[in-house]
Amino acid sequence: MSTHAPQASGAPQTARLVAQPATLDDAVAALVATPAAVPVAGGTDLMAGVNAGLLRPAALVSLGRLGELRGWEYQDGHALLGACLTHARMSRPDFAALIPALAAAARSAGPPQVRNAGTLGGNIITAAPSGDTLPVLAALEATLLVAGPDGQGRQIPVSSLLAGMDRLHPGELLAHVRIPLLHAPQTFLKATARSGPGRALASVALVLDPIRREVRCAVGGVAPMPLRPLDAERWVASLVDWDGEHGRALAPEALTAFGDYVGLACVPDPQPGEAPLPAAVLHVRRTVATLARRGLGRALR
């Protein structure tokens, strides 16, 4: 995990390791003592930026010794996930039984070396449009628990951080991610430009919430942040027989209509007088529609 490091400029410099804290409080104290320091755990996103010449952090605070951020626990009907939880750990069957869509996203996050090092918190703080866990967190309406120098910390809806409406303040550190345990079907599907794990051309997370009688959908890879097609969610939720004794499956025509609704919401038609959408953009819309249709169909089985 890393925060946004300073942009590259001027002569090259080598980042110095200023602290290896053993507790969360010590990590926050190190960030306060060295405002230019960047916290780092797996470092997959940070090093990609450094190697590309886009980032040049002046100092690092290693989070590798913070065991309290590498696991999860149950808390009042929620899962409290440590920000240093790796994609590889989230891929395992015990975690998949807990939050299946997040486990599926973690499995698709890249080759083994990336999954072994990359962390949930790093995915969130980097907030790359192709971040695989981000649409799942958006659909689950996750909450970020941030530790700060005041000792109290604060909570941020994940959508607020990803949309840039709220950001980490100096000396703050993403510590945990709180996710409601819905005990209901959820899916994650991803389309890439090549076979095997790779950068998402588009991805869709589908979550059923039987208590609130909601279908929640988030689309990743097509915009700077995951998109929630709220009108499509409400429309299809009104068609689901939530109390059905023989399942909640919808007719194929309804699934297709939902997919088209999501695709159009995420890749809208041009305004009158504007140029038609390029073929590549139309392909992305069709991809989103297909993923949404298949994801909902699997969730409602």
Side-chain angles (χ1 to χ4, degrees), residues 15-117:
R16 71 187 193 281
L17 182 65
V18 296
Q20 289 183 288
T23 69
L24 183 57
D25 288 342
D26 290 344
V28 171
L31 293 174
V32 172
T34 310
V38 174
V40 58
T44 53
D45 293 318
L46 178 66
M47 292 311 300
V50 170
N51 292 336
L54 302 175
L55 302 175
R56 190 171 294 138
L60 302 174
V61 173
S62 172
L63 306 181
R65 297 173 60 191
L66 298 185
E68 60 191 295
L69 302 189
R70 291 202 299 268
W72 73 83
E73 60 183 86
Y74 301 99
Q75 185 185 80
D76 300 325
H78 292 72
L80 195 65
L81 312 181
C84 293
L85 198 61
T86 66
H87 291 90
R89 186 64 189 88
M90 291 187 290
S91 301
R92 296 182 187 176
D94 58 341
F95 190 92
L98 189 73
I99 312 174
L102 193 54
R107 285 193 294 270
S108 72
Q113 61 270 28
V114 171
R115 297 197 302 273
N116 288 334

Side-chain angles (χ1 to χ4, degrees), residues 27-280:
V28 171
L31 293 174
V32 172
T34 310
V38 174
V40 58
T44 53
D45 293 318
L46 178 66
M47 292 311 300
V50 170
N51 292 336
L54 302 175
L55 302 175
R56 190 171 294 138
L60 302 174
V61 173
S62 172
L63 306 181
R65 297 173 60 191
L66 298 185
E68 60 191 295
L69 302 189
R70 291 202 299 268
W72 73 83
E73 60 183 86
Y74 301 99
Q75 185 185 80
D76 300 325
H78 292 72
L80 195 65
L81 312 181
C84 293
L85 198 61
T86 66
H87 291 90
R89 186 64 189 88
M90 291 187 290
S91 301
R92 296 182 187 176
D94 58 341
F95 190 92
L98 189 73
I99 312 174
L102 193 54
R107 285 193 294 270
S108 72
Q113 61 270 28
V114 171
R115 297 197 302 273
N116 288 334
T119 63
L120 177 63
N123 223 195
I124 295 168
I125 296 300
T126 301
S130 58
D132 292 306
T133 66
L134 303 185
V136 179
L137 296 174
L140 290 168
E141 297 183 345
T143 301
L144 309 180
L145 277 57
V146 176
D150 59 2
Q152 300 298 318
R154 62 191 181 104
Q155 301 181 17
I156 306 174
V158 68
S159 58
S160 295
L161 185 138
L162 297 178
M165 295 186 294
D166 203 341
R167 295 183 181 276
L168 297 191
H169 301 153
E172 288 189 330
L173 180 69
L174 174 58
H176 295 90
V177 180
R178 189 172 64 212
I179 295 177
L181 296 176
L182 301 177
H183 304 293
Q186 49 187 252
T187 61
F188 172 81
L189 296 176
K190 169 181 171 180
T192 64
R194 58 184 177 84
S195 60
R199 187 175 298 275
L201 173 68
S203 61
V204 174
L206 251 301
V207 172
L208 301 187
D209 188 340
I211 301 300
R212 294 162 61 179
R213 300 194 172 208
E214 292 180 349
V215 174
R216 298 204 290 273
C217 174
V219 179
V222 300
M225 60 171 288
L227 302 178
R228 288 279 303 275
L230 299 178
D231 288 342
E233 291 179 2
R234 287 189 285 265
W235 173 76
V236 80
S238 70
L239 302 181
V240 176
D241 182 4
W242 295 101
D243 299 316
E245 296 181 359
H246 304 292
R248 303 172 180 145
L250 295 177
E253 295 81 4
L255 294 176
T256 298
F258 171 72
D260 292 340
Y261 204 161
V262 173
L264 187 60
C266 295
V267 187
D269 284 330
Q271 297 296 316
E274 294 181 345
L277 295 179

